[in-house]
Amino acid sequence: QVTLRESGPALVKPTQTLTLTCAFSGFSLSTTGVCVSWIRQPPGKPLEWLALIDWDDDKYYSTSLKTRLTISKDTSKNQVVLTMTNMDPVDTATYYCARSGIVGATYYFDYWGQGTLVTVSS
Amino acid sequence: DIQLTQSPSSVSASVGDRVTITCRASQDIGSYLAWYQQRPGKVPKLLIYTASNMQRGVPSRFSGSGSGTHFSLNISSLQPEDFGTYYCQQVNRFPHTFGQGTRLEIK
């Protein structure tokens, strides 16, 4: 059974760094082709793709946010971590992690975490 | 970045109606497009991948078509549980962008 769960602070202050953890089970990020991504959704707004890390430790980022984002994995702990620096109120959103690499043998998200709401406010 | 433009932004339809949502890419993405359904307060759910392949467990009234820059999601006979917002996503090139969403309301 595949599960993903996001965790991190619910509230951060402007200019702080956000660290989110995606803990997953039911698959391994060392399996060829498997990837984990982060996606966010501000309240009432569309989904926004943020970053992806694959089984081979290749990393890809949103163009507009790449200077602020770092994605990493700990395969032994079955975790993926996203850090976002210099947080701003416009970064208030629900942050999701999701698995890809199985369906269609490419980057489609077949399992998502429940999401974690992060509010940026002083 | 590849831009995805969905139309319409919102649609209201009756149970039993046929609904079509389109997604246009700013450049050729082959068939590397997915459709997701997101009900209010819920996690997105994969419906269609590689433009026309149905994900397991998705009702057969959902279908996808298209290639290159023009794609469509069709719901052949709308059901009450189909309300929500539908997103297209391209995975042809990083970053993997989403469309702005189409909100589907049931009359």
Side-chain angles (χ1 to χ4, degrees), chain A residues 15-83:
Chain A
T15 76
Q16 286 187 336
T17 294
L18 171 68
T19 299
L20 295 173
T21 299
C22 175
F24 56 86
S25 63
F27 66 97
S28 172
L29 199 38
S30 60
T31 299
T32 299
V34 174
C35 312
V36 171
S37 298
W38 287 93
I39 303 102
R40 73 178 180 180
Q41 186 171 38
K45 293 192 175 181
L47 301 166
E48 180 182 14
W49 184 91
L50 298 178
L52 176 148
I53 189 164
D54 70 16
W55 81 101
D56 204 25
D57 209 33
D58 293 319
K59 302 161 189 177
Y60 304 90
Y61 296 101
S62 160
T63 302
S64 61
L65 293 170
K66 62 183 176 183
T67 60
R68 300 172 52 205
L69 294 174
T70 303
I71 192 170
S72 62
K73 65 182 174 74
D74 186 329
T75 305
S76 64
K77 291 184 178 178
N78 283 348
Q79 290 181 348
V80 170
V81 174
L82 181 76
T83 63

Side-chain angles (χ1 to χ4, degrees), chain A residues 62-64, chain B residues 1-3 26-27 90 94-95 97:
Chain A
S62 160
T63 302
S64 61
Chain B
D1 294 4
I2 296 173
Q3 309 300 319
S26 60
Q27 58 185 271
Q90 66 82 21
F94 288 105
T97 43

Side-chain angles (χ1 to χ4, degrees), chain A residues 41 44-48, chain B residues 3-11 20-24 34-38 44 73 84-89 97-105:
Chain A
Q41 186 171 38
K45 293 192 175 181
L47 301 166
E48 180 182 14
Chain B
Q3 309 300 319
L4 297 180
T5 303
Q6 291 183 231
S7 62
S9 296
S10 65
V11 59
T20 298
I21 299 169
T22 66
C23 178
R24 181 161 294 185
W35 290 96
Y36 296 88
Q37 176 196 58
Q38 187 179 32
L73 173 70
T85 302
Y86 291 79
Y87 295 95
C88 57
Q89 185 207 14
T97 43
F98 288 93
Q100 84 279 13
T102 294
R103 184 178 176 187
L104 173 57
E105 296 180 336

Side-chain angles (χ1 to χ4, degrees), chain A residues 65-115:
Chain A
L65 293 170
K66 62 183 176 183
T67 60
R68 300 172 52 205
L69 294 174
T70 303
I71 192 170
S72 62
K73 65 182 174 74
D74 186 329
T75 305
S76 64
K77 291 184 178 178
N78 283 348
Q79 290 181 348
V80 170
V81 174
L82 181 76
T83 63
M84 180 180 291
T85 61
N86 195 24
M87 293 292 285
D88 183 273
V90 300
D91 297 313
T92 294
T94 296
Y95 288 75
Y96 297 99
C97 61
R99 182 189 82 163
S100 61
I102 301 298
V103 173
T106 188
Y107 301 110
Y108 305 113
F109 301 128
D110 58 349
Y111 285 93
W112 296 64
Q114 286 303 303

